[in-house]
């Protein structure tokens, strides 16, 4: 997948092994093209690319918006199981009930 290769070339902290493992979990081949994937799978691949980095801060804007409940569960599990323990994750969402059980702290902005 070109996006995976781009991330590997662009980010020195990108973990190719993790990305390939997560793609395999979704049964998405590395030769797949983004334009042929469903909206839910595109969202999942974007998340896989981000969560395959060893970042200190992950900022996710509406990562579960517009996808079906099964995709939401996958996305939330991927976030929880793949962020670096020394990093922080910021999630902006209006789907509070879907994320409240995985959060340590919550800040509401008006």
């Amino acid at each position: 997948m070109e996006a995976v290769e781009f991330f590997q070339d662009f980010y020195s902290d990108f973990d190719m092994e993790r990305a390939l493992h997560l793609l395999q979990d979704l049964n998405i081949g590395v030769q797949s093209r983004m334009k042929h994937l469903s909206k839910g799978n595109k969202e999942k691949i974007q998340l896989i690319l981000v969560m395959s980095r060893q970042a200190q801060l992950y900022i996710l804007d509406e990562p579960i918006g517009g996808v079906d409940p099964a995709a939401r569960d996958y996305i939330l599990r991927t976030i929880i199981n793949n962020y670096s323990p020394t990093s922080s994750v910021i999630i902006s969402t209006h789907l509070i009930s879907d994320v409240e059980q995985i959060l340590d702290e919550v800040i509401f902005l008006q």
Side-chain angles (χ1 to χ4, degrees), residues 42-108:
K42 287 178 185 176
E43 294 284 334
K44 291 174 188 175
I45 288 177
Q46 290 173 357
L47 181 67
I48 286 170
L49 293 172
V50 170
M51 299 310 293
S52 292
R53 295 189 57 211
Q54 297 296 320
Q56 294 298 307
L57 176 64
Y58 299 93
I59 301 174
L60 306 171
D61 183 27
E62 294 290 346
I64 58 174
V67 296
D68 62 71
R72 287 180 190 164
D73 289 343
Y74 176 84
I75 289 168
L76 293 174
R77 274 194 322 273
T78 301
I79 293 167
I80 293 302
N81 294 330
N82 291 286
Y83 77 96
S84 172
T86 59
S87 65
S88 298
V89 179
I90 297 174
I91 300 173
S92 71
T93 185
H94 65 280
L95 300 170
I96 303 302
S97 63
D98 289 324
V99 296
E100 66 185 344
Q101 59 259 46
I102 67 164
L103 303 175
D104 292 330
E105 296 180 38
V106 177
I107 299 173
F108 289 97

Side-chain angles (χ1 to χ4, degrees), residues 9 16 18 45 65 75:
D9 290 344
M16 176 64 91
R18 179 184 294 168
I45 288 177
I75 289 168

